[in-house]
Amino acid sequence: MDSFLLYKERYCMGNQDYSVFMDCAAKTMLEQIGLTEADVAAMSNYSIKKVYGLCRGEFQKIPWRRLICNNAGLPKWLFILLLALQRRLQIKERIACWANIKDMECVLCSKENEDIDHILFEREYAKQVWSKLLFWQGIHRDVSNWQHKVTWAMENAKGKNAEQELYRMTLAGGVYHLW
């Protein structure tokens, strides 16, 4: 006996109206993902996980997901880190896309244009903060721009040991407080 008929016998025996409704709902869902009743009946091992995967579709995993997910930092730190990773922090560079801003100079230092790299890494204060945080963690490398920092973090801080978790928290806290 095929798995579809076995399912109908076990779970839909008592209530005909419910059974008809479920048959119609299941058929329309299966048709939307490109399966027919014959395809389901031909499956030797019916897997809800497999059908759910077909319904959901395939998506690429976000490479920086480990920096946000399971990070023990404060939620507001993680939110700002998420915005920074998506380059959506409200800074003059981003606001200039839809508003006419004549002065793109950084308000804090008045030396360069305000962008994510400048706010988080190129200002003297930001360089001092990052160098002290890295030294405190025992990481000996230069303070670089935002893209290098994220790339390094994705490669070196994706594990579950204490040093890597601390680095992810420090990254989120540093971005929040510098922004």
Side-chain angles (χ1 to χ4, degrees), residues 50 97 139 150 160:
K50 189 176 188 181
C97 293
I139 299 171
V150 171
K160 292 186 177 184

Side-chain angles (χ1 to χ4, degrees), residues 102-114:
K102 293 181 174 129
D103 183 24
M104 292 290 292
E105 198 170 81
C106 178
V107 178
L108 299 171
C109 70
S110 300
K111 292 182 181 176
E112 292 185 35
N113 288 345
E114 186 176 306

Side-chain angles (χ1 to χ4, degrees), residues 25-93:
K27 282 182 184 178
T28 56
M29 185 204 62
L30 291 173
E31 287 172 359
Q32 288 174 353
I33 61 173
L35 290 176
T36 63
E37 193 173 336
D39 294 334
V40 174
M43 287 182 184
S44 60
N45 292 331
Y46 181 79
S47 168
I48 291 176
K49 180 179 179 181
K50 189 176 188 181
V51 173
Y52 177 73
L54 291 171
C55 288
R56 191 176 61 110
E58 293 294 322
F59 297 101
Q60 286 184 339
K61 290 185 177 179
I62 300 170
W64 44 259
R65 71 189 181 282
R66 190 71 178 125
L67 298 177
I68 299 290
C69 299
N70 300 325
N71 188 332
L74 295 176
K76 59 185 177 180
W77 295 357
L78 299 178
F79 180 71
I80 296 300
L81 179 61
L82 177 66
L83 291 177
L85 288 168
Q86 295 175 344
R87 300 190 75 82
R88 296 198 181 270
L89 287 175
Q90 295 300 323
I91 55 176
K92 286 186 179 182
E93 176 190 46

Side-chain angles (χ1 to χ4, degrees), residues 18-31:
Y18 183 73
S19 174
V20 171
F21 171 74
M22 289 305 292
D23 284 349
C24 292
K27 282 182 184 178
T28 56
M29 185 204 62
L30 291 173
E31 287 172 359

